[in-house]
Amino acid sequence: MELFLRKRKTKALFPMFVAITLFLLQFWAVMAQITHNESSTQSSNNSPSATSTRYLSSSSPSSTRKLFSFRSRWRRRRRRNKVNRASMEFLFAHNLVRARVGEPPLEWDGRLAAYARVWANQRVGDCRLVHSNGPFGENIFWAGQNNWRPMDIVKVWADENKFYDVKANTCESGQMCGHYTQIVWRDSTKVGCARVDCSNGGIYAICVYNPLGNYEGENPFGSYQDQIGLLRQDPPAATIV
């Protein structure tokens, strides 16, 4: 009798199991459809037009101005600190010249680059080859066309090495060597550069070095960290027409 009752219970449970299974399948199908509809609605709400409409309707003009002001400050700070492709080219070109003579590589300094950018922006209107006369070493450059790459600019400065006599620590008469000696100056450890398109169609570039170099009577390949107060001799600017 017990065996017979167990079989009848099993037969009674089977239709219930099938019904529950079908119910769950139908439930999952309905939930899946609802989820799909919600995701479609959310994606449409997240479109640019919907977002801008919702944002404008829920934000006051003052909060909008504050948000734009914050974004502009953040973008300016990001541009100031960003080491872009031109920065890497300037740095690589410098360190390639220094490596050829066994000098340690320079480091890129964002503060020096910002200083160089401020001065370069002041020269956009005239692009005069004028030094900033700041506390750093400087190499400046001007060309009549704006197709000069950072590596080309540094190469112009570095090519002055053919006029420089290392043993005598002198430059050939009537030539310029100050750009080259500043690039390879041993005590200079950091550099920052900037370039701008001139209003007349040319290009102006400046690289700033810290500590500065080109002290009168000193050899760029020596170390003079203990000597203070020596006269600085600015190199003449490089001009390419």
Side-chain angles (χ1 to χ4, degrees), residues 215 218 224-232:
Y215 285 102
E218 295 186 2
Y224 302 92
Q225 295 179 354
D226 295 334
Q227 301 186 24
I228 302 175
L230 298 178
L231 178 64
R232 173 189 172 195

Side-chain angles (χ1 to χ4, degrees), residues 6-74:
R6 288 197 186 100
K7 288 182 178 181
R8 289 192 60 180
K9 289 181 181 179
T10 303
K11 289 181 180 180
L13 291 174
F14 180 76
M16 187 180 298
F17 173 79
V18 173
I20 293 174
T21 302
L22 293 175
F23 172 78
L24 291 176
L25 290 175
Q26 292 177 353
F27 177 79
W28 288 334
V30 172
M31 292 300 297
Q33 183 65 29
I34 293 174
T35 303
H36 175 72
N37 294 336
E38 289 179 349
S39 62
S40 301
T41 304
Q42 184 176 4
S43 61
S44 62
N45 289 336
N46 288 334
S47 63
S49 59
T51 301
S52 59
T53 303
R54 186 170 63 254
Y55 172 76
L56 292 176
S57 63
S58 61
S59 300
S60 62
S62 60
S63 62
T64 303
R65 286 194 296 269
K66 290 180 180 179
L67 179 60
F68 284 138
S69 176
F70 171 77
R71 286 179 176 176
S72 63
R73 290 197 303 269
W74 180 80

Side-chain angles (χ1 to χ4, degrees), residues 2 9 38-39 51 81 98 111 115 119 122 132 150 169 172 178-179 189 207 214 233 237 241:
E2 291 180 359
K9 289 181 181 179
E38 289 179 349
S39 62
T51 301
N81 295 331
R98 291 174 67 92
R111 292 173 299 177
Y115 180 93
W119 182 251
Q122 295 181 30
S132 70
N169 190 27
E172 185 177 325
H179 301 96
T189 59
C207 285
N214 285 344
Q233 184 179 15
V241 180

Side-chain angles (χ1 to χ4, degrees), residues 66-227:
K66 290 180 180 179
L67 179 60
F68 284 138
S69 176
F70 171 77
R71 286 179 176 176
S72 63
R73 290 197 303 269
W74 180 80
R75 287 172 181 170
R76 287 197 300 268
R77 182 176 299 177
R78 185 179 181 184
R79 285 196 299 267
R80 183 172 65 249
N81 295 331
K82 182 179 179 181
V83 181
N84 55 25
R85 181 176 179 179
S87 304
M88 295 302 296
E89 287 186 12
F90 271 119
L91 181 62
F92 177 79
H94 276 83
N95 287 334
L96 185 62
V97 177
R98 291 174 67 92
R100 289 172 180 167
V101 293
E103 293 297 320
L106 297 173
E107 296 179 7
W108 186 263
D109 191 299
R111 292 173 299 177
L112 295 179
Y115 180 93
R117 191 177 302 111
V118 169
W119 182 251
N121 288 334
Q122 295 181 30
R123 301 266 67 86
V124 170
D126 54 24
C127 280
R128 293 176 55 202
L129 290 170
V130 180
H131 284 282
S132 70
N133 293 321
F136 310 110
E138 293 178 4
N139 281 345
I140 56 178
F141 172 93
W142 175 84
Q145 297 179 346
N146 61 359
N147 58 348
W148 287 77
R149 300 175 304 171
M151 295 192 67
D152 300 328
I153 296 171
V154 176
K155 185 178 184 301
V156 170
W157 295 333
D159 284 345
E160 295 175 358
N161 67 337
K162 58 180 174 286
F163 306 120
Y164 177 68
D165 187 336
V166 178
K167 294 182 179 180
N169 190 27
T170 57
C171 188
E172 185 177 325
S173 178
Q175 301 295 335
M176 294 184 294
C177 301
H179 301 96
Y180 168 70
T181 54
Q182 174 59 84
I183 291 175
V184 298
W185 199 267
R186 178 170 297 178
D187 286 346
S188 297
T189 59
K190 297 181 180 180
V191 65
C193 305
R195 60 175 182 171
V196 294
D197 292 334
C198 305
S199 300
N200 59 5
I203 187 173
Y204 179 91
I206 176 174
C207 285
V208 183
Y209 307 84
N210 191 37
L212 57 85
N214 285 344
Y215 285 102
E216 186 177 7
E218 295 186 2
N219 190 302
F221 303 107
S223 181
Y224 302 92
Q225 295 179 354
D226 295 334
Q227 301 186 24

